[in-house]
Amino acid sequence: MDTTVSSFTARNNAKRAAEKLIANGKASAVNYGIRPRDDGRFEIVWKTAPTTGEVEAEIATAASANEAPSDAPPNAGAEEVAAATGNEPAASSVPASGAPERDNKWPDGTRVMVRNKPKSWSEATINTRLDAEYWRVQYPSGGTGMFKGGDIRAYDAERDAKRASQPLRARAAGPGAATRSRYALDPAVIAAGKLPDKAPVVTSAANPHYQKRFDELHKLAAAGDWAAVRDYKVSGSNSYSKLIARYQQDLLALHAAWKASQ
């Protein structure tokens, strides 16, 4: 592996560079450690033959981090990571392990539920396959995580969508007390894999500029440019940004359902 940066000013910069190399399929191994140097910098140590304990420790640390965008380091750290990884584009769907894609149980864009704790599951979308056993997912809020196949289950529209779309206060009021957001696709529409004729309509007089983003996503989906839908950048953390991110994930789930029916 040829990189222009071999050490980093901070441990989290080294970790981000390692994760990006793994996701891009350019790492020499899936497992790694971060080692401090005598000069106060940190370097990546690739583990080509790790022990079981080392693998479990590294995966547990990576999976629990959630890597929310707000945790990103300053520009200096980002420059180190970009230099170390060659500023490559987003990872392809080909796993670093070289495992045949036809054996991939969770293709990119698949809507799933991931287990964060023994009895706690969260909605997510498959971002890329890292190797034969691990997948990286993206949460509707924008954060990412890495999970083993045993901690991923299929998204069930009847079981998962209704509860996820109900406000906590409405859940306490009993079944049927909450209504689905007008900006989310109906679970039945997603399962059918049929794209609606129009994007959701923004009715808020204070936020009309968000209509353009819904329309852009719908236009890309209608044109069949699903790679552009997946790579569409959703910025911001307000309620409308989250609604757009949810609509993006709904579109990808709809496409995955359509592909599965072919």
Coordinates of all heavy atoms in Angstrom, one line a residue, residues 19-27 30 89-104 106-109 126-136 230:
E19 N -10.1 3.4 8.4 CA -11.4 3.0 8.0 C -11.7 3.4 6.5 O -12.4 2.6 5.8 CB -12.4 3.8 8.9 CG -12.5 3.3 10.3 CD -13.0 1.9 10.5 OE1 -14.0 1.6 9.7 OE2 -12.5 1.1 11.3
K20 N -11.2 4.5 6.1 CA -11.5 4.9 4.7 C -10.7 4.0 3.7 O -11.2 3.6 2.7 CB -11.0 6.4 4.5 CG -11.5 6.9 3.1 CD -11.3 8.4 3.0 CE -11.9 8.9 1.7 NZ -11.7 10.4 1.6
L21 N -9.5 3.6 4.1 CA -8.7 2.7 3.2 C -9.4 1.3 3.2 O -9.5 0.7 2.1 CB -7.3 2.5 3.8 CG -6.4 3.7 3.6 CD1 -5.1 3.6 4.4 CD2 -6.0 3.9 2.1
I22 N -10.0 0.9 4.3 CA -10.7 -0.4 4.3 C -11.9 -0.3 3.4 O -12.2 -1.2 2.6 CB -11.1 -0.8 5.7 CG1 -9.9 -1.1 6.6 CG2 -12.1 -2.0 5.7 CD1 -10.1 -1.3 8.0
A23 N -12.7 0.8 3.6 CA -13.9 1.0 2.8 C -13.6 1.1 1.3 O -14.4 0.6 0.5 CB -14.7 2.2 3.2
N24 N -12.5 1.7 0.9 CA -12.1 1.8 -0.5 C -11.4 0.6 -1.1 O -11.1 0.5 -2.2 CB -11.2 3.0 -0.7 CG -11.9 4.3 -0.5 OD1 -13.1 4.4 -0.5 ND2 -11.2 5.4 -0.3
G25 N -11.2 -0.4 -0.2 CA -10.6 -1.7 -0.7 C -9.1 -1.5 -0.9 O -8.5 -2.3 -1.6
K26 N -8.5 -0.5 -0.3 CA -7.0 -0.3 -0.5 C -6.2 -0.7 0.7 O -5.0 -0.5 0.7 CB -6.8 1.2 -0.9 CG -7.4 1.6 -2.2 CD -7.1 3.0 -2.6 CE -7.6 3.4 -4.0 NZ -6.9 2.6 -5.0
A27 N -6.8 -1.2 1.7 CA -6.1 -1.6 2.9 C -5.4 -2.9 2.7 O -5.9 -3.8 2.0 CB -7.0 -1.6 4.1
V30 N -8.0 -6.1 6.8 CA -9.3 -5.6 7.4 C -9.0 -5.1 8.9 O -9.6 -4.2 9.3 CB -10.4 -6.6 7.4 CG1 -11.7 -6.1 8.0 CG2 -10.7 -6.9 5.9
P89 N -12.6 8.4 -4.2 CA -14.1 8.6 -4.1 C -14.7 7.5 -3.2 O -14.0 6.7 -2.6 CB -14.6 8.4 -5.5 CG -13.5 7.5 -6.2 CD -12.2 8.0 -5.5
A90 N -16.0 7.6 -3.0 CA -16.7 6.7 -2.1 C -16.4 5.2 -2.5 O -16.2 4.9 -3.6 CB -18.2 6.9 -2.1
A91 N -16.4 4.3 -1.5 CA -16.1 2.9 -1.7 C -17.1 2.3 -2.6 O -18.3 2.6 -2.6 CB -16.1 2.2 -0.3
S92 N -16.6 1.3 -3.4 CA -17.4 0.6 -4.3 C -18.1 -0.5 -3.6 O -17.8 -0.8 -2.4 CB -16.6 0.0 -5.5 OG -15.8 -1.0 -5.0
S93 N -19.0 -1.2 -4.3 CA -19.7 -2.3 -3.6 C -18.9 -3.6 -3.6 O -19.4 -4.6 -3.1 CB -21.1 -2.5 -4.3 OG -20.8 -2.9 -5.7
V94 N -17.7 -3.6 -4.2 CA -16.9 -4.8 -4.1 C -16.2 -4.9 -2.8 O -15.5 -4.0 -2.4 CB -15.9 -4.8 -5.3 CG1 -15.0 -6.0 -5.2 CG2 -16.6 -4.7 -6.6
P95 N -16.4 -5.9 -2.0 CA -15.8 -6.0 -0.7 C -14.3 -6.2 -0.7 O -13.8 -6.7 -1.7 CB -16.5 -7.3 -0.1 CG -16.9 -8.1 -1.2 CD -17.2 -7.1 -2.3
A96 N -13.6 -5.7 0.3 CA -12.1 -5.7 0.3 C -11.7 -7.2 0.3 O -10.5 -7.5 -0.1 CB -11.6 -5.0 1.6
S97 N -12.5 -8.1 0.8 CA -12.0 -9.5 0.9 C -12.0 -10.2 -0.4 O -11.5 -11.3 -0.6 CB -13.0 -10.3 1.8 OG -14.3 -10.3 1.3
G98 N -12.7 -9.6 -1.5 CA -12.8 -10.2 -2.8 C -13.9 -11.2 -2.9 O -13.9 -11.9 -3.8
A99 N -14.7 -11.3 -1.9 CA -15.8 -12.3 -1.9 C -16.8 -11.9 -3.0 O -17.0 -10.8 -3.3 CB -16.6 -12.3 -0.6
P100 N -17.3 -12.9 -3.8 CA -18.2 -12.7 -4.9 C -19.4 -11.9 -4.5 O -20.0 -12.1 -3.5 CB -18.6 -14.1 -5.3 CG -17.5 -15.0 -4.8 CD -17.1 -14.4 -3.5
E101 N -19.7 -10.8 -5.3 CA -20.8 -10.0 -4.9 C -22.2 -10.7 -5.0 O -23.1 -10.3 -4.3 CB -20.9 -8.8 -5.9 CG -21.9 -7.7 -5.5 CD -21.6 -7.1 -4.2 OE1 -20.4 -7.1 -3.7 OE2 -22.5 -6.5 -3.6
R102 N -22.2 -11.8 -5.7 CA -23.5 -12.6 -5.8 C -23.8 -13.2 -4.4 O -24.9 -13.6 -4.2 CB -23.4 -13.6 -6.9 CG -22.3 -14.7 -6.7 CD -22.4 -15.8 -7.7 NE -21.4 -16.8 -7.6 CZ -20.1 -16.7 -8.0 NH1 -19.8 -15.6 -8.7 NH2 -19.2 -17.6 -7.8
D103 N -22.8 -13.4 -3.6 CA -23.0 -14.0 -2.3 C -23.3 -12.9 -1.2 O -23.4 -13.2 0.0 CB -21.7 -14.8 -1.8 CG -21.5 -15.9 -2.8 OD1 -22.5 -16.5 -3.3 OD2 -20.3 -16.3 -2.9
N104 N -23.4 -11.7 -1.6 CA -23.6 -10.6 -0.7 C -25.1 -10.5 -0.2 O -26.0 -10.3 -1.0 CB -23.3 -9.2 -1.4 CG -23.3 -8.1 -0.4 OD1 -23.6 -8.3 0.8 ND2 -23.1 -6.9 -0.9
W106 N -26.4 -8.5 1.8 CA -27.0 -7.1 2.1 C -26.4 -6.2 1.0 O -25.3 -5.5 1.3 CB -26.6 -6.7 3.5 CG -27.0 -7.6 4.6 CD1 -26.3 -8.4 5.4 CD2 -28.4 -7.9 5.0 NE1 -27.0 -9.1 6.2 CE2 -28.3 -8.8 6.0 CE3 -29.6 -7.5 4.5 CZ2 -29.5 -9.3 6.6 CZ3 -30.8 -8.0 5.1 CH2 -30.7 -8.9 6.2
P107 N -26.9 -6.1 -0.2 CA -26.4 -5.2 -1.2 C -26.5 -3.7 -0.8 O -27.3 -3.4 0.1 CB -27.3 -5.5 -2.4 CG -28.0 -6.8 -2.1 CD -28.1 -6.9 -0.6
D108 N -25.7 -2.9 -1.4 CA -25.7 -1.4 -1.1 C -27.1 -0.9 -1.3 O -27.8 -1.2 -2.3 CB -24.7 -0.7 -2.0 CG -23.3 -1.0 -1.7 OD1 -23.0 -1.9 -0.9 OD2 -22.4 -0.4 -2.3
G109 N -27.5 0.0 -0.4 CA -28.8 0.6 -0.5 C -29.9 -0.2 0.2 O -31.1 0.3 0.3
I126 N -27.6 -0.1 4.2 CA -26.3 -0.6 3.9 C -25.5 0.4 3.0 O -26.1 0.8 2.0 CB -26.4 -2.0 3.2 CG1 -27.1 -3.0 4.1 CG2 -25.0 -2.4 2.7 CD1 -26.3 -3.3 5.3
N127 N -24.3 0.7 3.4 CA -23.5 1.7 2.7 C -22.5 0.9 1.8 O -22.4 1.2 0.6 CB -22.8 2.6 3.6 CG -21.9 3.6 2.9 OD1 -20.8 3.3 2.5 ND2 -22.4 4.8 2.7
T128 N -21.8 -0.1 2.4 CA -20.9 -0.9 1.6 C -20.5 -2.1 2.3 O -20.7 -2.2 3.6 CB -19.6 -0.1 1.2 OG1 -18.8 -0.8 0.3 CG2 -18.8 0.2 2.5
R129 N -20.1 -3.1 1.6 CA -19.6 -4.4 2.2 C -18.1 -4.3 2.4 O -17.4 -4.0 1.5 CB -19.9 -5.6 1.3 CG -19.7 -6.9 2.0 CD -19.9 -8.0 1.0 NE -19.8 -9.3 1.6 CZ -19.9 -10.5 0.9 NH1 -20.0 -10.5 -0.4 NH2 -19.8 -11.6 1.5
L130 N -17.7 -4.5 3.7 CA -16.2 -4.3 4.0 C -15.5 -5.6 3.7 O -14.4 -5.6 3.2 CB -16.1 -3.9 5.4 CG -16.7 -2.5 5.8 CD1 -16.5 -2.2 7.3 CD2 -16.0 -1.4 4.9
D131 N -16.1 -6.8 4.1 CA -15.5 -8.1 3.8 C -16.6 -9.1 3.9 O -17.7 -8.8 3.8 CB -14.3 -8.4 4.8 CG -14.7 -8.5 6.2 OD1 -16.0 -8.6 6.5 OD2 -13.9 -8.5 7.1
A132 N -16.2 -10.4 4.0 CA -17.2 -11.5 3.9 C -18.1 -11.4 5.1 O -19.2 -12.0 5.1 CB -16.5 -12.8 3.9
E133 N -17.7 -10.8 6.2 CA -18.6 -10.8 7.5 C -19.1 -9.5 7.9 O -20.0 -9.4 8.7 CB -17.7 -11.4 8.6 CG -17.4 -12.9 8.4 CD -16.7 -13.5 9.6 OE1 -16.4 -12.7 10.5 OE2 -16.4 -14.7 9.7
Y134 N -18.5 -8.4 7.4 CA -18.8 -7.1 8.0 C -19.3 -6.1 6.9 O -18.9 -6.1 5.8 CB -17.6 -6.4 8.7 CG -17.2 -7.2 9.9 CD1 -16.3 -8.2 9.9 CD2 -17.9 -6.9 11.2 CE1 -16.0 -8.9 11.1 CE2 -17.5 -7.5 12.3 CZ -16.6 -8.6 12.3 OH -16.3 -9.2 13.4
W135 N -20.3 -5.3 7.3 CA -20.9 -4.3 6.4 C -20.9 -2.9 7.2 O -21.0 -2.8 8.4 CB -22.4 -4.6 6.1 CG -22.5 -5.7 5.1 CD1 -22.8 -5.6 3.8 CD2 -22.5 -7.1 5.4 NE1 -22.9 -6.8 3.2 CE2 -22.7 -7.8 4.1 CE3 -22.2 -7.9 6.5 CZ2 -22.8 -9.2 4.0 CZ3 -22.3 -9.3 6.4 CH2 -22.5 -9.9 5.2
R136 N -20.7 -1.9 6.4 CA -20.8 -0.5 6.9 C -22.2 0.0 6.6 O -22.7 -0.2 5.4 CB -19.8 0.4 6.3 CG -19.9 1.9 6.9 CD -18.7 2.7 6.5 NE -17.5 2.3 7.1 CZ -17.2 2.5 8.4 NH1 -18.1 3.1 9.2 NH2 -16.1 2.0 8.9
R230 N -28.0 7.7 -4.1 CA -27.2 7.2 -2.9 C -26.1 8.2 -2.5 O -25.9 8.4 -1.3 CB -26.5 5.9 -3.2 CG -25.8 5.3 -2.1 CD -25.2 3.9 -2.4 NE -24.1 4.1 -3.4 CZ -24.2 3.6 -4.7 NH1 -25.3 2.9 -5.0 NH2 -23.3 3.8 -5.6

